Amino acid sequence: MKKYLSILSDIEQKIMEGQYRSGQKLPSVRIAAKQYGCSISTILHAYTELEKRHAIYSVSQSGYYVVDKSGDAAKDKKDRKIIDFASVLPDINVFPYVDFQHCLNKAIDQYKQHLFTYGDPKGLESLRYTLASHLAGDQVIADPRRIIVTSGAQQALEILARMPFPNGNSEILVEQPGYDMYLRYLEYEGIPVSGIRRTATGIDLRELEERFKTGKIKFFYTMSRFHNPLGTSYTVTERKAIANLASKYDVYIVEDDYMADLGIEQGFDPIYAYNRTSHVVYVKSFSKIIFPGLRLGAAVLPEKLLDTYLANKRYADSSLLSQAALEVYMKNGMYERHKRKICSQYSARISALNAAVERYNQAGLIETSHVSSGIYVQFKLPQTVNLERLIARLDARHVHVIPGKKFYLTSYLEREKFLRISISQAHPEQIDEGVRAIIEEAGRPVH
């Protein structure tokens, strides 16, 4: 990364964390050059870029100041009364508006009239080559011909559920608890589906093998990392075992790695990387890193599934302009820079949440999934807690949470009682208060 970009990112981070407050004067160009060990021209370049992003402004003969956003103070004050542990949308305060606007303009200039055709159902070819390089960083090695740009991860999951698979089986096996929107889709469409228990400590591999061996499983749908709603990730042993079982019993794996870019840990290889018989479909979304409204994702398909998938997809349905802008965003290194920023912020929030749990949960009232990355944490509750009453009491204290019941198939009965906690929109200074409120209310005597 160029030096001025790393300086720019550091200053943006300090503004976001409040180290540089609205209206505060930044270090002079000379002092900043000494602090960062670089030339004055490099600092000027960084400050100029920050001005373009409306993060700072210059005053002649005085210096550079952080933009005062007090005009939004009333709305911000109102919003900060709510402690939002429910929303899963990215924090709007870290959306890369200016960067992406630049990429949109460059994409229009670069592709011109090509952006306004129907396009290829597989997606913009140049983006697929860019994605091949991007995915290789996560050990998802794939020919661009097998990478399909999708209208979000959900579209790929729905097509896979409907289409036939070479093994001739029809039932989909899902983790319980699991991604609620997909569970509701499968039930609504009447697609054969059954569940297998997954907890914060993992999955029973012997039970999984038995299901693969004796069931008519078309594919096993799993979130290998940052599971929704548990927040946990499979161990290397579990990932390798699942990859081997897929090959052994001719069962496909649909690996939903939609939050792959939100982790700070190094060397996490997905199930896809361990399977040598092309039994894994790898699905990824870009909604949790940049704008959800872009509705862009990618599916990496085994050769045997490619034609059937495209026959079911039939037409191009993702905005070519969005695809072209994402390509520019990735090629310019902006995606990686934004990823580091958002990962750092979310990791700090998870740490704050874990610290608050340790502080207020000394009696061991709740059990949490031990995570250090991603956005989700499971708060497992005693069976004596009345969830409806708990949520109502928390709502009265302006703490919003999501109960675990919605993350199960209607027919699945072995349910844990829990809250799914999301930190993506929880203001860092509120996390301690929110955790304390949950533990206090959960510990109230049963009436």
Side-chain angles (χ1 to χ4, degrees), residues 306-317:
L306 194 55
D307 289 342
T308 306
Y309 182 92
L310 288 171
N312 279 266
K313 190 172 189 288
R314 288 192 290 274
Y315 53 86
D317 45 18

Side-chain angles (χ1 to χ4, degrees), residues 418-433:
F418 69 90
L419 302 174
R420 186 199 67 184
I421 304 299
S422 168
I423 52 81
S424 68
Q425 296 227 9
H427 296 292
E429 67 275 12
Q430 298 176 313
I431 289 174
D432 186 89
E433 180 186 347

